[in-house]
Amino acid sequence: MSPSLTTRPLRNTRVRRVAIMLAGLGIVVGASACNAAQQPREDFFYVNRTRVTQGVGQLGWNPQLAAKAQQWAQHMADTNTLSHSSLTDGVGGGWSTLGENVGTGGQVVDVHDGFMNSPEHRDNIMKDQYTSMGVGVVQSGGRVWVVEDFEG
């Protein structure tokens, strides 16, 4: 099953640095044997692995964005509709740029691969202005619904 994807960036005139750093990922991922609670971290791992191999710094984990992304992934799964959230809903102040990737597919790795094969989604993943992200993943009807929310 090929993934379905969509992306949306947003800029804010309020500029403030967000400095969220992780000492290390400390994540071991098995692409086929990952339980539902681990799937958001699985996607986070794929994003940061891609960024590091391309010479772009790692993103920090943002629990506020993760909660927003998880709620939106659940909404998409419940409605069986791929769509974007309102980027600013549920996001506090202090950001200068926001972005979102949404997709659905058979497994988290399939959606990540689809994102990387789409110029707009890849641009969101590789954007060096982003400093943190949150991921939401829901399994429903043999599919995963993935939301990646980015902040810088």
Side-chain angles (χ1 to χ4, degrees):
M1 173 184 311
S2 64
S4 300
L5 314 168
T6 185
T7 183
R8 185 170 133 205
L10 177 73
R11 295 200 183 277
N12 184 351
T13 57
R14 297 175 291 169
V15 177
R16 181 175 157 204
R17 282 192 180 162
V18 177
I20 300 173
M21 301 297 288
L22 294 178
L25 290 175
I27 301 168
V28 177
V29 177
S32 62
C34 196
N35 72 36
Q38 293 172 323
Q39 288 177 325
R41 291 292 184 156
E42 179 184 358
D43 185 71
F44 179 66
F45 168 81
Y46 293 138
V47 167
N48 273 327
R49 180 184 66 186
T50 301
R51 287 173 62 93
V52 168
T53 61
Q54 297 297 312
V56 182
Q58 293 182 20
L59 296 173
W61 182 255
N62 185 316
Q64 183 180 43
L65 290 178
K68 171 188 172 33
Q70 187 64 35
Q71 288 176 335
W72 194 253
Q74 187 65 59
H75 168 78
M76 291 191 312
D78 289 347
T79 61
N80 197 34
T81 304
L82 191 63
S83 61
H84 282 283
S85 70
S86 173
L87 285 177
T88 58
D89 285 355
V91 178
W95 55 270
S96 61
T97 186
L98 296 172
E100 180 172 77
N101 289 342
V102 298
T104 186
Q107 296 181 6
V108 171
V109 68
D110 299 330
V111 177
H112 176 74
D113 289 345
F115 287 156
M116 293 309 297
N117 288 318
S118 161
E120 296 84 8
H121 295 92
R122 181 180 172 82
D123 287 350
N124 260 352
I125 289 170
M126 300 306 293
K127 187 173 182 176
D128 63 0
Q129 290 90 352
Y130 292 141
T131 56
S132 66
M133 76 178 292
V135 179
V137 178
V138 172
Q139 285 186 294
S140 178
R143 305 179 74 140
V144 293
W145 298 83
V146 178
V147 177
E148 298 176 338
D149 283 329
F150 301 93
E151 180 180 86

